[in-house]
Amino acid sequence: MEGVEDIPGPVLAEGLKWDWQGFPDFLDALERMPRTIDVAAQIPHYPLRVYVMGERDQRAQDDLRRDGARPFRRD
């Protein structure tokens, strides 16, 4: 996060507890933190889709790649 968000490492270390591993753990960590403002968490669409759909999503993606390329193939 230092490189991406340009937040100094010491600030991150002092301001946040990194005692979580996944999104559910992160939400639990937020719940435990005292705060004076509301918090909204965002999650990217694709990882959520893979988590929910699993293998079905991978098969659908493979089909889209195969079928999407069909007009350009010279069979």
Side-chain angles (χ1 to χ4, degrees):
M1 297 236 333
E2 280 182 76
V4 175
E5 298 294 335
D6 201 25
I7 302 171
V11 172
L12 286 172
E14 288 180 29
L16 297 172
K17 289 186 178 183
W18 297 95
D19 57 351
W20 49 272
Q21 294 256 333
F23 193 68
D25 294 339
F26 173 67
L27 293 177
D28 291 342
L30 283 177
E31 188 69 30
R32 289 190 301 269
M33 290 176 63
R35 53 191 183 278
T36 57
I37 61 171
D38 292 334
V39 175
Q42 297 181 12
I43 181 171
H45 174 261
Y46 188 71
L48 178 61
R49 179 179 169 151
V50 170
Y51 177 78
V52 171
M53 296 188 68
E55 290 292 322
R56 291 179 299 156
D57 183 57
Q58 188 58 50
R59 286 193 307 269
Q61 291 295 321
D62 292 344
D63 291 345
L64 285 173
R65 283 188 201 96
R66 184 191 64 240
D67 296 342
R70 185 171 292 144
F72 303 102
R73 280 191 273 196
R74 294 179 182 222
D75 294 336

Coordinates of all heavy atoms in Angstrom, one line a residue:
M1 N 0.8 -1.2 0.0 CA 0.0 0.0 0.0 C 0.9 1.3 0.0 O 0.4 2.3 -0.5 CB -0.9 0.0 1.2 CG -1.9 -1.1 1.2 SD -3.7 -0.8 1.3 CE -3.9 0.8 2.1
E2 N 2.1 1.1 0.5 CA 2.9 2.3 0.5 C 3.1 2.8 -1.0 O 3.0 4.0 -1.2 CB 4.3 2.0 1.0 CG 4.4 2.0 2.5 CD 5.8 1.7 3.0 OE1 6.6 2.7 2.9 OE2 6.1 0.6 3.4
G3 N 3.4 1.9 -1.9 CA 3.7 2.3 -3.3 C 2.4 2.7 -4.0 O 2.4 3.6 -4.8
V4 N 1.3 2.0 -3.7 CA 0.1 2.2 -4.5 C -0.6 3.5 -4.0 O -1.1 4.3 -4.8 CB -0.9 1.0 -4.4 CG1 -2.2 1.3 -5.0 CG2 -0.2 -0.2 -5.0
E5 N -0.8 3.6 -2.7 CA -1.5 4.7 -2.2 C -0.6 5.9 -1.7 O -1.2 6.9 -1.3 CB -2.4 4.2 -1.0 CG -3.4 3.2 -1.3 CD -4.5 3.7 -2.3 OE1 -4.8 4.9 -2.3 OE2 -5.1 2.9 -3.0
D6 N 0.7 5.7 -1.8 CA 1.6 6.7 -1.3 C 1.4 7.1 0.1 O 1.4 8.3 0.5 CB 1.5 7.9 -2.3 CG 2.8 8.8 -2.2 OD1 3.9 8.2 -1.8 OD2 2.8 10.0 -2.5
I7 N 1.1 6.1 1.0 CA 1.0 6.4 2.4 C 2.3 5.8 3.1 O 2.6 4.7 2.8 CB -0.2 5.6 2.9 CG1 -1.5 6.1 2.2 CG2 -0.4 5.9 4.5 CD1 -2.7 5.3 2.6
P8 N 2.9 6.7 3.9 CA 4.2 6.2 4.5 C 3.9 5.0 5.4 O 2.9 4.8 6.0 CB 4.6 7.4 5.4 CG 3.9 8.6 4.8 CD 2.6 8.0 4.2
G9 N 4.9 4.0 5.3 CA 4.8 2.8 6.1 C 4.5 3.0 7.5 O 3.7 2.2 8.1
P10 N 5.3 3.9 8.2 CA 5.0 4.0 9.7 C 3.5 4.5 10.0 O 2.9 4.0 10.9 CB 5.9 5.1 10.1 CG 7.1 5.1 9.1 CD 6.4 4.6 7.8
V11 N 3.0 5.2 9.1 CA 1.6 5.7 9.3 C 0.6 4.5 9.1 O -0.3 4.3 9.9 CB 1.2 6.8 8.2 CG1 -0.3 7.1 8.3 CG2 2.0 8.0 8.5
L12 N 0.9 3.6 8.1 CA 0.1 2.4 8.0 C 0.2 1.5 9.2 O -0.7 0.9 9.7 CB 0.6 1.6 6.7 CG 0.1 2.2 5.4 CD1 0.8 1.5 4.2 CD2 -1.4 2.2 5.2
A13 N 1.5 1.3 9.6 CA 1.7 0.4 10.8 C 1.0 0.9 12.0 O 0.5 0.1 12.8 CB 3.2 0.2 11.0
E14 N 1.0 2.2 12.3 CA 0.4 2.7 13.5 C -1.1 2.9 13.4 O -1.8 2.7 14.4 CB 1.0 4.1 13.8 CG 2.5 4.0 14.3 CD 3.0 5.4 14.6 OE1 2.2 6.3 15.0 OE2 4.2 5.6 14.5
G15 N -1.6 3.1 12.2 CA -3.0 3.4 12.0 C -3.9 2.2 11.8 O -5.1 2.3 12.0
L16 N -3.3 1.2 11.3 CA -4.1 0.0 10.9 C -3.6 -1.3 11.6 O -2.4 -1.4 11.6 CB -4.1 -0.2 9.4 CG -4.7 0.9 8.6 CD1 -4.5 0.6 7.1 CD2 -6.2 1.0 8.8
K17 N -4.5 -2.1 12.0 CA -4.0 -3.4 12.5 C -4.2 -4.4 11.3 O -5.2 -4.4 10.6 CB -4.9 -3.9 13.6 CG -4.7 -3.1 14.9 CD -5.5 -3.7 16.0 CE -5.2 -3.0 17.3 NZ -5.8 -3.5 18.5
W18 N -3.1 -5.1 11.0 CA -3.1 -6.1 9.9 C -3.3 -7.5 10.4 O -2.6 -8.4 10.2 CB -1.8 -5.9 9.1 CG -1.7 -4.6 8.5 CD1 -1.0 -3.5 9.1 CD2 -2.2 -4.1 7.3 NE1 -1.1 -2.4 8.3 CE2 -1.9 -2.8 7.2 CE3 -3.0 -4.7 6.3 CZ2 -2.2 -2.0 6.1 CZ3 -3.4 -3.9 5.2 CH2 -3.0 -2.6 5.1
D19 N -4.4 -7.7 11.2 CA -4.7 -9.0 11.8 C -5.8 -9.7 11.1 O -6.5 -10.6 11.6 CB -5.1 -8.8 13.3 CG -6.3 -7.9 13.5 OD1 -6.7 -7.3 12.5 OD2 -6.8 -7.9 14.6
W20 N -5.9 -9.5 9.8 CA -6.9 -10.2 9.0 C -6.3 -10.7 7.7 O -5.2 -10.2 7.3 CB -8.1 -9.2 8.6 CG -7.6 -7.9 8.1 CD1 -7.3 -6.8 8.8 CD2 -7.4 -7.6 6.7 NE1 -6.9 -5.8 8.0 CE2 -7.0 -6.2 6.7 CE3 -7.5 -8.3 5.5 CZ2 -6.7 -5.6 5.5 CZ3 -7.2 -7.6 4.3 CH2 -6.8 -6.3 4.3
Q21 N -6.9 -11.7 7.1 CA -6.3 -12.4 5.9 C -7.2 -12.3 4.7 O -6.7 -12.2 3.6 CB -6.1 -13.9 6.2 CG -5.0 -14.1 7.3 CD -3.7 -14.6 6.7 OE1 -3.7 -15.2 5.6 NE2 -2.6 -14.3 7.3
G22 N -8.5 -12.3 4.9 CA -9.4 -12.3 3.8 C -10.5 -11.2 4.0 O -10.5 -10.5 5.0
F23 N -11.4 -11.1 3.0 CA -12.4 -10.0 3.1 C -13.3 -10.2 4.4 O -13.6 -9.2 5.1 CB -13.2 -10.0 1.8 CG -14.1 -8.8 1.7 CD1 -13.5 -7.5 1.6 CD2 -15.5 -8.9 1.8 CE1 -14.3 -6.4 1.5 CE2 -16.3 -7.7 1.7 CZ -15.7 -6.5 1.5
P24 N -13.8 -11.4 4.7 CA -14.6 -11.6 5.9 C -13.9 -11.2 7.1 O -14.4 -10.5 8.0 CB -15.0 -13.1 5.9 CG -14.9 -13.5 4.5 CD -13.8 -12.7 3.9
D25 N -12.6 -11.5 7.2 CA -11.7 -11.1 8.4 C -11.6 -9.6 8.4 O -11.6 -9.0 9.5 CB -10.4 -11.8 8.3 CG -10.4 -13.3 8.4 OD1 -11.3 -13.8 9.0 OD2 -9.4 -13.9 8.0
F26 N -11.5 -9.0 7.3 CA -11.3 -7.5 7.2 C -12.6 -6.9 7.7 O -12.5 -5.9 8.5 CB -11.1 -7.1 5.8 CG -11.1 -5.6 5.6 CD1 -10.2 -4.8 6.1 CD2 -12.1 -5.0 4.8 CE1 -10.2 -3.4 5.9 CE2 -12.2 -3.7 4.6 CZ -11.2 -2.8 5.2
L27 N -13.8 -7.4 7.3 CA -15.0 -6.8 7.8 C -15.1 -7.0 9.4 O -15.6 -6.1 10.1 CB -16.2 -7.5 7.1 CG -16.4 -7.2 5.7 CD1 -17.5 -7.9 5.1 CD2 -16.5 -5.7 5.4
D28 N -14.7 -8.2 9.9 CA -14.7 -8.4 11.3 C -13.8 -7.4 12.0 O -14.1 -6.9 13.1 CB -14.3 -9.8 11.6 CG -15.3 -10.9 11.2 OD1 -16.5 -10.5 11.0 OD2 -14.9 -12.0 11.1
A29 N -12.6 -7.2 11.4 CA -11.7 -6.2 12.0 C -12.3 -4.8 12.0 O -12.1 -4.1 13.0 CB -10.3 -6.2 11.2
L30 N -13.0 -4.4 11.0 CA -13.6 -3.1 11.0 C -14.7 -3.0 12.1 O -14.8 -2.0 12.7 CB -14.3 -2.9 9.6 CG -13.5 -2.5 8.4 CD1 -14.3 -2.3 7.2 CD2 -12.7 -1.2 8.7
E31 N -15.4 -4.1 12.3 CA -16.5 -4.2 13.3 C -15.9 -3.9 14.7 O -16.5 -3.3 15.5 CB -17.2 -5.5 13.2 CG -18.4 -5.6 14.1 CD -19.5 -4.7 13.6 OE1 -19.7 -4.4 12.4 OE2 -20.3 -4.2 14.5
R32 N -14.7 -4.4 14.9 CA -14.0 -4.3 16.2 C -13.4 -2.9 16.5 O -13.2 -2.6 17.6 CB -12.9 -5.4 16.4 CG -13.4 -6.8 16.5 CD -12.3 -7.7 16.9 NE -11.2 -7.7 15.9 CZ -11.1 -8.5 14.8 NH1 -12.0 -9.4 14.6 NH2 -10.0 -8.5 14.0
M33 N -13.2 -2.2 15.4 CA -12.5 -0.9 15.6 C -13.5 0.2 16.0 O -14.6 0.3 15.5 CB -11.9 -0.4 14.2 CG -10.8 -1.2 13.8 SD -10.2 -0.6 12.1 CE -9.7 1.0 12.5
P34 N -13.1 1.0 17.1 CA -13.9 2.1 17.4 C -13.8 3.2 16.3 O -12.7 3.4 15.8 CB -13.3 2.6 18.7 CG -11.9 2.1 18.7 CD -11.9 0.8 17.9
R35 N -14.9 3.8 15.9 CA -14.8 4.8 14.9 C -16.0 5.8 15.1 O -17.0 5.5 15.7 CB -14.9 4.2 13.5 CG -16.0 3.3 13.3 CD -15.9 2.5 12.0 NE -17.0 1.7 11.8 CZ -17.2 0.5 12.3 NH1 -16.3 0.0 13.1 NH2 -18.4 -0.2 12.1
T36 N -15.7 7.0 14.5 CA -16.7 8.0 14.6 C -17.4 8.3 13.3 O -18.3 9.2 13.2 CB -16.1 9.3 15.2 OG1 -15.0 9.7 14.3 CG2 -15.5 9.1 16.6
I37 N -17.0 7.6 12.2 CA -17.6 7.8 10.9 C -18.1 6.4 10.4 O -17.6 5.4 10.8 CB -16.7 8.5 9.9 CG1 -15.5 7.6 9.7 CG2 -16.3 9.9 10.4 CD1 -14.6 8.1 8.6
D38 N -19.0 6.4 9.5 CA -19.5 5.2 8.9 C -18.4 4.7 7.9 O -17.6 5.5 7.3 CB -20.8 5.4 8.1 CG -21.9 5.7 9.1 OD1 -21.9 5.2 10.2 OD2 -22.9 6.3 8.7
V39 N -18.3 3.4 7.7 CA -17.4 2.8 6.8 C -18.1 2.0 5.7 O -19.0 1.3 6.0 CB -16.4 1.9 7.6 CG1 -15.5 1.2 6.6 CG2 -15.6 2.7 8.6
A40 N -17.7 2.2 4.5 CA -18.2 1.3 3.4 C -17.1 0.6 2.8 O -16.0 1.2 2.5 CB -18.9 2.2 2.4
A41 N -17.2 -0.7 2.6 CA -16.1 -1.5 2.0 C -16.5 -1.8 0.6 O -17.7 -2.1 0.3 CB -15.9 -2.8 2.8
Q42 N -15.5 -1.8 -0.3 CA -15.7 -2.1 -1.7 C -14.9 -3.3 -2.0 O -13.8 -3.6 -1.5 CB -15.3 -0.9 -2.6 CG -16.2 0.3 -2.4 CD -15.8 1.4 -3.3 OE1 -15.0 1.2 -4.2 NE2 -16.3 2.6 -3.0
I43 N -15.4 -4.1 -3.0 CA -14.7 -5.3 -3.4 C -14.8 -5.3 -4.9 O -15.9 -5.0 -5.5 CB -15.3 -6.6 -2.8 CG1 -14.5 -7.8 -3.2 CG2 -16.8 -6.7 -3.0 CD1 -14.9 -9.1 -2.5
P44 N -13.7 -5.7 -5.6 CA -13.8 -5.7 -7.1 C -14.8 -6.8 -7.6 O -14.9 -7.9 -6.9 CB -12.4 -6.1 -7.5 CG -11.5 -5.8 -6.3 CD -12.4 -5.9 -5.1
H45 N -15.4 -6.6 -8.7 CA -16.4 -7.5 -9.2 C -15.9 -8.9 -9.5 O -16.5 -9.9 -9.2 CB -17.1 -6.9 -10.4 CG -18.1 -7.8 -11.1 ND1 -17.7 -8.5 -12.2 CD2 -19.3 -8.1 -10.8 CE1 -18.8 -9.3 -12.6 NE2 -19.7 -9.0 -11.7
Y46 N -14.8 -9.0 -10.3 CA -14.3 -10.3 -10.8 C -13.9 -11.2 -9.6 O -14.4 -12.4 -9.7 CB -13.2 -10.1 -11.7 CG -12.8 -11.4 -12.4 CD1 -13.7 -12.0 -13.4 CD2 -11.7 -12.1 -12.1 CE1 -13.4 -13.2 -14.0 CE2 -11.4 -13.3 -12.7 CZ -12.2 -13.8 -13.6 OH -11.9 -15.0 -14.2
P47 N -13.2 -10.9 -8.6 CA -12.9 -11.8 -7.5 C -14.2 -12.3 -6.8 O -14.3 -13.5 -6.5 CB -12.0 -11.0 -6.6 CG -11.4 -10.0 -7.4 CD -12.4 -9.6 -8.4
L48 N -15.1 -11.4 -6.7 CA -16.4 -11.8 -6.1 C -17.1 -12.8 -7.0 O -17.6 -13.8 -6.5 CB -17.3 -10.6 -5.9 CG -18.7 -10.8 -5.3 CD1 -18.5 -11.5 -3.9 CD2 -19.5 -9.6 -5.2
R49 N -17.1 -12.6 -8.3 CA -17.8 -13.5 -9.2 C -17.1 -14.9 -9.2 O -17.8 -15.9 -9.2 CB -17.7 -12.9 -10.6 CG -18.3 -13.7 -11.7 CD -18.2 -13.0 -13.0 NE -18.5 -13.9 -14.1 CZ -19.0 -13.6 -15.2 NH1 -19.3 -12.3 -15.4 NH2 -19.3 -14.5 -16.1
V50 N -15.8 -14.9 -9.2 CA -15.1 -16.2 -9.1 C -15.4 -16.9 -7.8 O -15.6 -18.1 -7.8 CB -13.6 -16.0 -9.3 CG1 -12.8 -17.3 -9.0 CG2 -13.3 -15.5 -10.7
Y51 N -15.4 -16.2 -6.7 CA -15.7 -16.8 -5.4 C -17.1 -17.4 -5.4 O -17.3 -18.5 -5.0 CB -15.6 -15.7 -4.3 CG -16.0 -16.2 -3.0 CD1 -15.1 -17.0 -2.2 CD2 -17.2 -15.9 -2.4 CE1 -15.4 -17.5 -1.0 CE2 -17.5 -16.4 -1.1 CZ -16.7 -17.2 -0.4 OH -17.0 -17.7 0.8
V52 N -18.1 -16.6 -6.0 CA -19.5 -17.1 -6.0 C -19.7 -18.2 -7.0 O -20.4 -19.2 -6.7 CB -20.4 -15.9 -6.2 CG1 -21.9 -16.4 -6.4 CG2 -20.4 -15.0 -5.0
M53 N -19.2 -18.0 -8.2 CA -19.5 -18.9 -9.3 C -18.5 -20.1 -9.5 O -18.8 -21.1 -10.1 CB -19.7 -18.2 -10.6 CG -20.8 -17.2 -10.6 SD -21.1 -16.5 -12.2 CE -21.7 -17.8 -13.1
G54 N -17.3 -19.9 -9.0 CA -16.3 -20.9 -9.1 C -16.1 -21.5 -10.4 O -15.8 -20.8 -11.4
E55 N -16.1 -22.8 -10.6 CA -15.9 -23.5 -11.8 C -16.8 -23.1 -12.9 O -16.5 -23.0 -14.1 CB -15.9 -25.0 -11.6 CG -14.8 -25.6 -10.8 CD -13.5 -25.5 -11.6 OE1 -13.4 -25.7 -12.8 OE2 -12.4 -25.2 -10.9
R56 N -18.1 -22.8 -12.6 CA -19.1 -22.4 -13.6 C -18.6 -21.2 -14.3 O -18.7 -21.0 -15.5 CB -20.4 -22.2 -13.0 CG -21.1 -23.4 -12.4 CD -22.4 -23.1 -11.8 NE -22.2 -22.2 -10.7 CZ -23.1 -21.4 -10.2 NH1 -24.3 -21.3 -10.8 NH2 -22.9 -20.6 -9.2
D57 N -18.0 -20.2 -13.6 CA -17.5 -19.0 -14.2 C -16.4 -19.3 -15.1 O -16.3 -18.7 -16.2 CB -17.1 -18.0 -13.1 CG -16.7 -16.7 -13.8 OD1 -17.5 -16.1 -14.5 OD2 -15.5 -16.3 -13.5
Q58 N -15.5 -20.1 -14.7 CA -14.3 -20.4 -15.5 C -14.7 -21.1 -16.9 O -14.2 -20.8 -17.9 CB -13.3 -21.4 -14.8 CG -12.0 -21.5 -15.6 CD -11.3 -20.2 -15.8 OE1 -11.1 -19.4 -14.9 NE2 -11.0 -20.0 -17.1
R59 N -15.7 -22.0 -16.8 CA -16.2 -22.6 -18.0 C -16.9 -21.6 -18.9 O -16.7 -21.6 -20.1 CB -17.2 -23.8 -17.7 CG -16.5 -25.0 -17.1 CD -17.5 -26.2 -17.1 NE -18.7 -25.9 -16.4 CZ -18.9 -26.2 -15.1 NH1 -18.0 -26.7 -14.4 NH2 -20.1 -25.9 -14.6
A60 N -17.6 -20.7 -18.3 CA -18.3 -19.6 -19.1 C -17.2 -18.7 -19.8 O -17.4 -18.4 -20.9 CB -19.2 -18.8 -18.2
Q61 N -16.2 -18.4 -19.0 CA -15.1 -17.5 -19.6 C -14.4 -18.3 -20.8 O -14.1 -17.7 -21.8 CB -14.1 -17.2 -18.5 CG -14.6 -16.2 -17.5 CD -15.0 -14.9 -18.1 OE1 -14.3 -14.3 -18.9 NE2 -16.1 -14.3 -17.6
D62 N -14.1 -19.6 -20.6 CA -13.5 -20.3 -21.7 C -14.4 -20.4 -22.9 O -13.9 -20.2 -24.0 CB -13.2 -21.8 -21.2 CG -12.1 -21.8 -20.1 OD1 -11.4 -20.8 -20.0 OD2 -12.0 -22.9 -19.4
D63 N -15.7 -20.6 -22.7 CA -16.7 -20.6 -23.8 C -16.7 -19.2 -24.5 O -16.7 -19.2 -25.8 CB -18.1 -20.9 -23.3 CG -18.2 -22.4 -22.9 OD1 -17.3 -23.2 -23.2 OD2 -19.2 -22.7 -22.2
L64 N -16.7 -18.1 -23.8 CA -16.7 -16.8 -24.4 C -15.4 -16.6 -25.2 O -15.4 -16.0 -26.3 CB -16.8 -15.7 -23.3 CG -18.1 -15.5 -22.7 CD1 -18.1 -14.6 -21.5 CD2 -19.1 -15.1 -23.7
R65 N -14.3 -17.0 -24.7 CA -13.0 -16.8 -25.4 C -13.0 -17.6 -26.7 O -12.6 -17.2 -27.7 CB -11.8 -17.2 -24.5 CG -11.4 -16.2 -23.5 CD -10.1 -16.6 -22.8 NE -10.1 -15.9 -21.6 CZ -10.4 -16.4 -20.4 NH1 -10.9 -17.6 -20.3 NH2 -10.4 -15.7 -19.3
R66 N -13.5 -18.9 -26.6 CA -13.5 -19.7 -27.8 C -14.5 -19.2 -28.8 O -14.2 -19.0 -30.0 CB -13.9 -21.2 -27.4 CG -13.9 -22.1 -28.5 CD -14.5 -23.5 -28.2 NE -15.9 -23.3 -27.9 CZ -16.5 -23.6 -26.7 NH1 -15.8 -24.1 -25.7 NH2 -17.8 -23.4 -26.5
D67 N -15.7 -18.9 -28.4 CA -16.8 -18.5 -29.3 C -16.6 -17.1 -29.8 O -16.9 -16.7 -30.9 CB -18.2 -18.6 -28.6 CG -18.6 -20.0 -28.3 OD1 -17.9 -20.9 -28.8 OD2 -19.4 -20.2 -27.4
G68 N -16.0 -16.2 -28.9 CA -15.7 -14.9 -29.4 C -14.7 -14.8 -30.4 O -14.6 -13.9 -31.3
A69 N -13.7 -15.7 -30.5 CA -12.7 -15.7 -31.5 C -13.1 -16.4 -32.8 O -12.5 -16.3 -33.8 CB -11.4 -16.5 -30.9
R70 N -14.2 -17.1 -32.7 CA -14.7 -17.9 -33.9 C -14.8 -17.0 -35.2 O -14.3 -17.5 -36.2 CB -16.0 -18.6 -33.6 CG -16.5 -19.5 -34.7 CD -17.7 -20.3 -34.4 NE -17.3 -21.3 -33.3 CZ -18.0 -21.7 -32.4 NH1 -19.2 -21.2 -32.2 NH2 -17.6 -22.6 -31.5
P71 N -15.4 -15.8 -35.2 CA -15.5 -15.1 -36.4 C -14.1 -14.8 -37.1 O -14.1 -14.5 -38.3 CB -16.2 -13.8 -36.0 CG -16.9 -14.1 -34.7 CD -16.0 -15.2 -34.1
F72 N -13.0 -14.8 -36.3 CA -11.7 -14.4 -36.8 C -10.9 -15.6 -37.2 O -9.8 -15.4 -37.7 CB -11.0 -13.6 -35.8 CG -11.8 -12.4 -35.3 CD1 -12.5 -12.3 -34.1 CD2 -11.9 -11.3 -36.2 CE1 -13.2 -11.2 -33.8 CE2 -12.6 -10.2 -35.8 CZ -13.3 -10.1 -34.6
R73 N -11.3 -16.8 -36.9 CA -10.5 -18.0 -37.3 C -10.8 -18.4 -38.7 O -11.8 -18.2 -39.3 CB -11.0 -19.2 -36.4 CG -10.3 -19.1 -35.0 CD -10.6 -20.4 -34.4 NE -11.9 -20.3 -33.7 CZ -12.3 -21.1 -32.8 NH1 -11.7 -22.1 -32.4 NH2 -13.5 -20.8 -32.2
R74 N -9.7 -19.0 -39.3 CA -9.8 -19.5 -40.7 C -9.7 -21.0 -40.6 O -8.6 -21.6 -40.8 CB -8.7 -19.0 -41.5 CG -8.8 -17.5 -41.7 CD -7.6 -17.0 -42.6 NE -7.7 -15.6 -42.7 CZ -7.5 -15.0 -43.9 NH1 -7.1 -15.7 -44.9 NH2 -7.6 -13.7 -44.0
D75 N -10.8 -21.7 -40.3 CA -10.9 -23.1 -40.2 C -11.1 -23.8 -41.5 O -11.7 -23.3 -42.4 CB -12.0 -23.6 -39.2 CG -11.7 -23.1 -37.8 OD1 -10.5 -22.9 -37.5 OD2 -12.6 -22.9 -37.0

